[in-house]
Amino acid sequence: MWLRWCAGWWPGWAGASSCRDPQDSFVTWAPERISTLQLSRSTPLQLLRSLGSGPRGLVESEAEKRLTRYGENVLPARRVPSLPIIFLRSLRDPFTAVLACLALVSAAVAAWATAGVIAVLVVVSCALRAAGEHRADRSAAGLRELVASTATVLRRADDDAATVAREVPVDEVVPGDVVRLAPGDLVPADLRLLRATGLTMHQAALTGESAPVAKYPVDEPFAQSPARPLDAQDFDRPEVCFQGSSVASGSGTGVVVATGADTRFARADRLPGNDRRTTAFDRSVYGVSWILIRFMLLTPPLVLMANAALRGRGLETLPFAVAVAVGLTPEMLPVIVTTTLARGASALARTHQVIVKRLPALHDLGAVDVVCLDKTGTLTQDRPVLDCALDASGSPDDSVLHWAAVNSLWTLQLAELPGADALDEALLDAAEERFPEGLDALEYDAVAALPFDPVRRLSTAVVNTPHRLGRHTLVVKGAVEDVLERCALTGDERDRALALAEHLASDGLRVLAVALAERPAARRPYTTTDERGLTLQGLVGLRDATAETAADALTALLHRGVAVKVLTGDHPGTAARACRELGLEPGEVVTAASFDGLSGAELGELADRSTVFARCSPEQKARIVRALRERGHVTGFLGDGVNDLPALRACDVGICPPEAVDVARETADVVLAAKDLTSLDHAIVAGRSSGATIAGYLRITLSSNLGNVIAMLTAGLLLPFLPMLPAQVLVQNLCFDAAQLAFAYDRPPAGALRRPLKLRPREVLASVTGFGVLNAVADLATFAVLVWAVSDTRAETAFHAGWFTENLLTQALVMVLLRTGRGGGIPVTAGVLALTGLLLPLSPLGPLIGMTALPLAYYPLLALVLALYAGALYWFARRARRTPAP
């Protein structure tokens, strides 16, 4: 009514395009965007005036001006980094950076071969990583979609032209546009309602609340609660619809107040404290890397000082010192890690349509031991189904469902609503299933219908009473309190009905009351005043339908040692019921209000022993995730809405389904094939497989490298010549590095996939030290054999050849005996490495790098040393595998 009144009072009101003289304070288009504060303090008339708009919408020319001035209605896009940028970022990897420094040092001392090989390793590693991440970025960019494709707006050709409702691309919607909403529409921008009919909205993407929220216009300014910040109250406002929400039922018209980067949807991406923290990959692989880097940086000075003090050698030993440092380095670590993760990510995308946007996130998935997720759409289908129909005493009664379905059917038909809402659809589906032969009973001769009103919170259908001429039956369905107010009940009867409804609600059900009234047929139209003197028939309870694969997927996750935590904005009873139906024991449900005052350590203890957290705000979800990480857990978070952004950034690995809102897909590290926990299980298995491969490579390579370095340093101090020339160290490293590529194709055993795989640096280094010392003992035993077997003038070149051969043979044994996987061609590769060690000194290349043929007496003794070493290595490896992980 007020719209018609103000349109007549101010005929030029709708002419928003005529930006009036600044002197005229009656109506001026404010150059600044409408803020939440302005919105809260304005009546609809004041808001429309400040926007320079009206109920007839904007003139096309004015809309074009505003589009130029304020930009397209699109979310701020994150640019996909170019391939060269990703390549340069890869240099920040600690091992890659140190290898680059060693290449520069080698070039400085004219060790060009060493510098060249190290430079090739750096380039290959960075290129592989950049290619994998760029491919994932492009795949994720292909999933990017606008929040809506088109919107229905009211526009006019000029001030005097008639208003036309037209479809425009959503990016052309501007502040001041009047937008029409219908069921299924996605809200294209933040808008304030001018009128609505039975309008309810899905706001789960913004708030996590699964139940549709009633929306309706109000004429008074918003009353702010002093206890809560204004922004936190926005989603509770019935007159405001936000970009990212969708129409569940009803229809409405509203004026756009914010577009693009000014919407609440976009502002959620700019919340403070949303930066990602150090992940499990950083703490594991990087932890091992930095410990080794310290040894590498100390090795050259120690070699130089020891040789200067004991042998009187000077800077001529610098190339040897650099070669020793390179020998300690697992040069192929960046290549192996990147190749392994890239292969795992490629296989996931190919076989399960799971996109890994950040390659290290695949390793993090393998280490995840706690998965936090929202209930709505993950454990449930975001679709209600009937749970029970009870009479007023609480006994099952199918007639209550019957009358509820009559109300849903004829309200939808006679009120000419665009479509049934989710609750009505659930009741009609249940009635069709429950009464397969009696659906005709629902098709009474209908007389009138009063659709659902979010203020009175009920709907009424009026039908001819069967077999009673001149009588009408009012069938009323709606919120329990509002229906009971209109029923003829005693105080005790009302209390019993409310107690029954509260019991059902506490069990996680959405409860509706059904009441009837038989009246003489009225000759006038029925109104809401007729909804009185009703007889309560009973209550219907509806629950969220659980996802079809959720129960099996939860069981699989628990069997893999992954704890599941449910963080939801829903009612505690609703969340607990969904968990119980899926076989996940909820225990005592924790509400957000109960842990707000806890410290981080106290919240971590609570999160460890609790499963379900209800009524959580976005920041509270993130706080729970951070508390779990601080207790040493590797956390994954599965979310799809704007309300999940803080938690997606606070966890070790952020996960989202393809249907997630745009900013959630941009933030997440992994995009699943569907909103299905089965896809998550596949991704975790792939992550564990990649992590096990990387861990096996580190143990094997570091054990061999450490043993060689210890023996080389010891021999360098005891011999009158260098135990190996820098070129020989380089060739040896090249041979071993080439063989190590086979680890990227190794398949870990099934046992490695049963539990979360956490690569703890101290445990890795403890294992490496033990096997490294064993390897050094074998090297020193070979040193003693060489001293005895080689005594002619070719002692130095023969010694180099003998130690070169023994080093490659021991490395081949380590590859075969310490591997835990299968496939990948490692035995064949190890055999090729062993043949290289035996034949290279005898080939024409041997003399070129300072080696000569060995006496035949050396080989039987070498075979004895290798046999003893292989036996000891096998025994220690078996013992290590039997020792349970802490």
Side-chain angles (χ1 to χ4, degrees), residues 797-820:
T797 55
F799 189 94
H800 291 161
W803 208 345
F804 180 90
T805 299
E806 186 269 347
N807 276 337
L808 290 188
L809 291 174
T810 55
Q811 287 170 347
L813 286 173
V814 167
M815 289 180 64
V816 173
L817 296 178
L818 290 189
R819 68 186 291 251
T820 58

Side-chain angles (χ1 to χ4, degrees), residues 287-321:
V288 174
S289 301
W290 282 113
I291 293 174
L292 291 175
I293 286 168
R294 295 188 186 100
F295 282 111
M296 289 165 51
L297 296 177
L298 287 174
T299 299
L302 289 177
V303 172
L304 289 174
M305 288 187 293
N307 276 275
L310 298 179
R311 294 294 176 184
R313 301 173 186 143
L315 290 177
E316 66 271 15
T317 60
L318 181 58
F320 174 72

Side-chain angles (χ1 to χ4, degrees), residues 3 69 101 169 175 197 323 353 363 390 521 538 549 627 660 703 710 809 851:
L3 288 173
R69 182 174 187 175
C101 292
T197 302
Q353 290 76 52
H363 169 275
L390 309 175
T549 60
S703 298
I710 292 174
L809 291 174
M851 293 189 295

Side-chain angles (χ1 to χ4, degrees), residues 3 10 13-16 48 52-58 154 176-178 194 255:
L3 288 173
W10 173 30
W13 179 26
L48 283 165
S53 185
R56 295 172 62 198
L58 295 176
L154 303 183
D177 260 328
V178 175
L194 303 178
V255 59

Side-chain angles (χ1 to χ4, degrees), residues 654-695:
I655 311 158
C656 76
E659 299 88 357
V661 297
D662 191 72
V663 288
R665 287 201 306 269
E666 295 281 2
T667 303
D669 304 305
V670 177
V671 181
L672 300 179
K675 202 168 189 177
D676 183 355
L677 290 179
T678 303
S679 295
L680 176 59
D681 182 55
H682 292 317
I684 287 176
V685 170
R688 291 183 183 178
S689 177
S690 298
T693 299
I694 294 169

